[in-house]
Amino acid sequence: MKIILNTRGTGEDITPQLQAFMEYVNSGILSSNPLVQAIDQRVNEVKQNEEARLSYMTLELKLRDAHKEGVAEGRAEGKAEGKFENLLENVKSLMKSIPCDAKRAMDLLNVPEATRGKILVQL
């Protein structure tokens, strides 16, 4: 089971144990709460374990790389979508100004065959 907590939240109906945990996460304040003590001990053990630190650092680097790739993909998709929207608008504009049908407008604009069906669906 996974529990997601907003440790910056202002919920007032939480247990003192959970409040102590959230203070620990937010500020590093170590209370006398047994749960917080146990978590802090485990955190320190992991920090001292070179293999665990290396594993964590490697994971962090992989997450950063994945994030960068995701941003690049999103930008590429947005750019492609923008090009399609411009092409669609150009087809519509040409159909009105000449006037002509969609096939003729796409021929005049040299719209690739692979894109024509998608444009026809949008018209």
Side-chain angles (χ1 to χ4, degrees):
M1 176 181 5
K2 292 182 182 180
I3 299 173
I4 299 172
L5 298 173
N6 176 1
T7 61
R8 303 273 186 203
T10 58
E12 296 182 17
D13 58 343
I14 60 174
T15 65
Q17 186 174 16
L18 184 54
Q19 182 65 39
F21 170 72
M22 292 193 321
E23 286 175 3
Y24 175 75
V25 170
N26 290 333
S27 61
I29 294 173
L30 185 59
S31 71
S32 60
N33 182 285
L35 173 66
V36 174
Q37 293 283 326
I39 291 171
D40 185 65
Q41 181 180 351
R42 184 65 182 129
V43 167
N44 287 322
E45 287 171 7
V46 170
K47 284 181 178 179
Q48 298 304 315
N49 182 320
E50 193 63 36
E51 187 177 320
R53 285 182 55 180
L54 180 61
S55 175
Y56 177 78
M57 297 291 275
T58 303
L59 173 63
E60 186 174 342
L61 290 173
K62 286 180 183 178
L63 290 173
R64 282 185 194 169
D65 288 346
H67 176 73
K68 286 179 185 176
E69 288 175 18
V71 168
E73 282 181 30
R75 286 185 178 148
E77 287 176 12
K79 195 173 188 179
E81 186 63 31
K83 285 181 182 179
F84 174 79
E85 292 298 324
N86 286 340
L87 189 56
L88 178 61
E89 289 306 312
N90 289 340
V91 169
K92 287 178 181 180
S93 178
L94 193 57
M95 288 172 63
K96 287 179 183 176
S97 65
I98 290 185
C100 64
D101 65 5
K103 182 186 180 321
R104 177 75 177 135
M106 288 188 284
D107 288 344
L108 291 170
L109 292 170
N110 295 320
V111 175
E113 287 296 324
T115 308
R116 291 177 180 232
K118 190 174 175 183
I119 286 178
L120 288 173
V121 169
Q122 296 291 323
L123 293 175

